Amino acid sequence: MKFTVNKQNVARIYFIFVLAVSPLYISNGYHNILDAKNYIVWLSIVIGAGLSIYLFLKWLANGVTKKTIKAEFISGLKKFISSVDLMDIFVAIFALTSLISSCISGYVHEAFSGSMAWGVGGAMIIALSLMYFITSREMKPESGCIYAMMISGIIAMVLAVLNDLWIDPLKIMTEDDNWKDHFTSTIGNIDQFGAYLSIVIIIMVMMFVMSENGFKRAGACVVLFFGYLNMFLTHSDSIYVVVCFAYLFLIAYCLRSPNRYWGLLINGILFSIAGFAAKVIILFRPEIRLDDISPILFAHNVHVIIGWGSFVLLLIHMVLNLKLNSEQFDKLFKKLFVIYLVLAIIAVATIVIVGIMKFDMYFLNRRGFLWYVAVYQFLDNDLIYQIFGMGPGLVDTISLNFAFEIEEYYGQYYTLENVHNDVLEYLLTTGVLGFISYVGIYVIIIKDFIQKILKDEDFRGVNGYAIAGLIAYIIQSMLNGPHPLTTAMYFALLAIYRGSKLEENNQIQEECSLEN
């Protein structure tokens, strides 16, 4: 089959590189895993931007030859302006603020490059934002990039399980035993693996409950089994936090449809099977270092309770499906939805209140201290830095200001590469403008999801997968700092979601024009 360089294929290549190739790319084991992730993200950007520039030059030459360039440019500009919405504006403001904060920073090179943090500097934010605008306008909704992510995710998760068994097929870093506790698979740092894992898990859950295609569901099942297995085995509690909070959204969405609810219960059974498999692995390798939550779940057989509970509810669901007609079934689910909504709001409010009451410097594995540092330093900054920020990725520059506190909570020679919270980090590094625009994107995504649930509307294919992944990213970003892999995935999913919404709006307009 002949490959053609067109707008759709450029978007495909870029998304596949970010969502499927980047998670698996390594160059020298864990010795330079962060550099490797920065490299592959930049390579994805360069390839996507390079092909887009090629298409632009081709269009330019064609327009000059045919003398239609002015008319086509005006038409294209009008089309672009008419398509701009609030999300586009927030992305543009965030990119512009990152540029300004990098320029006025006392460490211009470091702010642009992100070399004092994890590589997510002003240059990467601006480049990913540009690719957001390019690809969201070039793509048509399709699930190819999500399928590629599925395959990539299975490989990364299987490697993580093998690493838990102390099997190192890639010979990544066998000379240092510490890697078993702090690094895993081709992602590297366990917190970042947890962030990546949570995004993939939630996308796959959404695919399983949304799709009526047996092949898609079977593929999602395989990914979810290894995803849940890694939840139990990975030394990172943040995965549980992200997945549990994301499930609050998914359960509400599933309760709006009996078919989706059925898929949700199957997920509960799958989680139980994965828990059983994890216990077998731990019996084989008792040396595996677990974090706090997994041992508690195993001690109280929570995975068994969830599995049997899901099975019983599935049987009840099947019986009711036979006894009730569709109208009665829908009424029942409406009541269940309202009850769940009330309970979910109470649960979240309780968690927030308890969290505030228990907040101290050791909160969530000393994240409380990092968050305190970010807010304190922001308030202490000059006005211009409060507005535009001190520059992306420059959290480390304030380490000297808190040298004694850092030594108390983290030990000697520790530096603050990030504050383990995207929102607070961007408040400090991109100022109030960056903070408002970044949070604005979050609010739009959450509002769109809740709006779909309340209106009882279905997501269409990749549109649903993308917004589910974005919800997972938002939650994990409250616990983890900006990382090149997850940040690139965030902007790619954002572009997919925005592009699918544009296509959906175009289809609605076409349908309305046909009716008229």
Side-chain angles (χ1 to χ4, degrees):
M1 187 172 64
K2 187 179 178 182
F3 177 79
T4 306
V5 179
N6 55 38
K7 292 179 179 181
Q8 178 71 358
N9 281 335
V10 169
R12 281 189 187 121
I13 292 168
Y14 174 70
F15 292 142
I16 288 172
F17 258 85
V18 171
L19 299 176
V21 178
S22 296
L24 297 179
Y25 179 78
I26 53 173
S27 59
N28 187 27
Y30 296 135
H31 296 289
N32 70 335
I33 189 70
L34 197 55
D35 291 337
K37 296 306 177 190
N38 273 304
Y39 170 79
I40 193 63
V41 167
W42 274 111
L43 181 63
S44 307
I45 293 169
V46 168
I47 290 172
L51 290 172
S52 298
I53 291 169
Y54 165 77
L55 288 176
F56 173 74
L57 293 175
K58 188 177 176 182
W59 168 82
L60 196 65
N62 188 55
V64 170
T65 304
K66 294 182 179 180
K67 298 181 180 180
T68 58
I69 189 167
K70 184 178 178 181
E72 288 181 6
F73 175 77
I74 292 171
S75 173
L77 185 62
K78 285 181 179 178
K79 184 180 178 182
F80 175 79
I81 292 172
S82 66
S83 71
V84 171
D85 74 347
L86 190 57
M87 181 181 285
D88 296 329
I89 293 169
F90 280 142
V91 172
I93 292 172
F94 183 62
L96 182 61
T97 307
S98 298
L99 173 64
I100 295 170
S101 65
S102 298
C103 290
I104 66 173
S105 170
Y107 303 85
V108 176
H109 171 73
E110 290 82 0
F112 272 109
S113 66
S115 59
M116 293 186 75
W118 286 352
V120 185
M124 183 175 285
I125 291 170
I126 294 163
L128 289 172
S129 300
L130 287 172
M131 290 308 300
Y132 159 83
F133 281 105
I134 293 169
T135 54
S136 63
R137 266 65 182 177
E138 290 182 350
M139 67 157 286
K140 291 186 182 296
E142 60 176 29
S143 303
C145 56
I146 304 298
Y147 299 150
M149 176 193 260
M150 287 172 69
I151 296 168
S152 173
I154 289 172
I155 295 170
M157 292 173 195
V158 169
L159 284 170
V161 173
L162 291 174
N163 290 167
D164 290 327
L165 291 167
W166 296 9
I167 299 170
D168 186 16
L170 299 181
K171 306 298 178 188
I172 296 177
M173 192 177 166
T174 52
E175 68 271 19
D176 188 348
D177 285 339
N178 287 327
W179 74 276
K180 297 181 182 69
D181 292 334
H182 303 289
F183 299 92
T184 191
S185 187
T186 54
I187 308 298
N189 180 275
I190 53 169
D191 284 333
Q192 295 310 319
F193 177 72
Y196 166 76
L197 189 66
S198 356
I199 294 169
V200 176
I201 285 174
I202 297 306
I203 290 174
M204 291 301 107
V205 173
M206 195 66 164
M207 178 180 285
F208 189 83
V209 300
M210 274 179 56
S211 178
E212 295 180 0
N213 182 299
F215 176 76
K216 284 185 184 179
R217 281 190 161 178
C221 255
V222 174
V223 181
L224 284 168
F225 170 76
F226 284 105
Y228 292 141
L229 184 60
N230 276 286
M231 276 180 67
F232 286 107
L233 297 176
T234 303
H235 180 59
S236 176
D237 282 344
S238 63
I239 308 172
Y240 287 105
V241 177
V242 178
V243 171
C244 286
F245 272 94
Y247 253 101
L248 289 174
F249 290 88
L250 294 179
I251 292 171
Y253 178 64
C254 290
L255 284 174
R256 300 299 272 167
S257 164
N259 289 334
R260 292 197 292 263
Y261 176 70
W262 173 86
L264 187 70
L265 296 177
I266 296 293
N267 259 278
I269 296 169
L270 199 59
F271 178 80
S272 180
I273 295 169
F276 175 76
K279 287 195 88 168
V280 172
I281 290 173
I282 290 166
L283 285 173
F284 181 70
R285 280 290 189 192
E287 307 95 320
I288 293 175
R289 185 185 172 196
L290 304 177
D291 219 340
D292 296 329
I293 294 178
S294 288
I296 294 171
L297 296 184
F298 286 137
H300 295 86
N301 289 315
V302 173
H303 62 293
V304 177
I305 295 168
I306 290 174
W308 277 108
S310 298
F311 181 70
V312 170
L313 288 173
L314 188 61
L315 291 177
I316 294 170
H317 179 78
M318 292 167 69
V319 171
L320 290 175
N321 194 27
L322 293 172
K323 289 190 173 183
L324 302 178
N325 59 40
S326 58
E327 188 178 340
Q328 290 172 322
F329 219 40
D330 288 340
K331 283 183 179 178
L332 174 64
F333 270 85
K334 282 179 182 177
K335 290 178 181 177
L336 288 173
F337 173 73
V338 172
I339 293 168
Y340 170 77
L341 213 58
V342 172
L343 292 175
I345 291 169
I346 293 171
V348 171
T350 303
I351 291 168
V352 171
I353 292 168
V354 171
I356 292 171
M357 290 172 62
K358 289 187 174 292
F359 183 84
D360 59 14
M361 297 301 155
Y362 291 96
F363 184 71
L364 292 177
N365 195 22
R366 295 167 294 181
R367 282 176 172 84
F369 169 68
L370 298 176
W371 299 347
Y372 163 79
V373 165
V375 174
Y376 183 91
Q377 186 62 48
F378 167 77
L379 295 173
D380 195 50
N381 280 343
D382 294 336
L383 181 60
I384 190 168
Y385 292 124
Q386 288 182 339
I387 296 171
F388 295 106
M390 51 194 279
L394 291 184
V395 176
D396 189 31
T397 60
I398 66 172
S399 291
L400 288 176
N401 299 347
F402 300 91
F404 294 109
E405 292 89 344
I406 292 170
E407 185 174 341
E408 179 183 350
Y409 294 110
Y410 284 93
Q412 289 184 322
Y413 312 116
Y414 190 88
T415 55
L416 304 179
E417 293 177 330
N418 66 76
V419 299
H420 280 270
N421 185 303
D422 277 17
V423 172
L424 292 180
E425 174 143 343
Y426 288 129
L427 173 66
L428 177 62
T429 59
T430 61
V432 171
L433 285 179
F435 170 81
I436 291 172
S437 56
Y438 196 75
V439 171
I441 300 169
Y442 280 15
V443 170
I444 290 171
I445 294 164
I446 295 169
K447 181 210 63 138
D448 284 357
F449 199 100
I450 292 174
Q451 205 169 51
K452 284 280 189 183
I453 294 172
L454 295 177
K455 289 183 177 180
D456 194 12
E457 295 177 350
D458 282 330
F459 290 102
R460 297 186 182 183
V462 72
N463 179 274
Y465 310 152
I467 196 170
L470 290 168
I471 291 290
Y473 178 88
I474 289 170
I475 298 167
Q476 73 80 31
S477 73
M478 299 295 117
L479 302 171
N480 301 302
H483 184 275
L485 174 62
T486 49
T487 302
M489 288 176 68
Y490 169 65
F491 276 94
L493 290 171
L494 204 61
I496 292 170
Y497 177 64
R498 182 73 185 102
S500 62
K501 276 189 72 179
L502 281 170
E503 187 65 23
E504 191 177 313
N505 292 338
N506 291 336
Q507 288 176 2
I508 292 169
Q509 288 175 5
E510 286 175 10
E511 289 170 4
C512 290
S513 61
L514 287 172
E515 288 175 3
N516 295 331

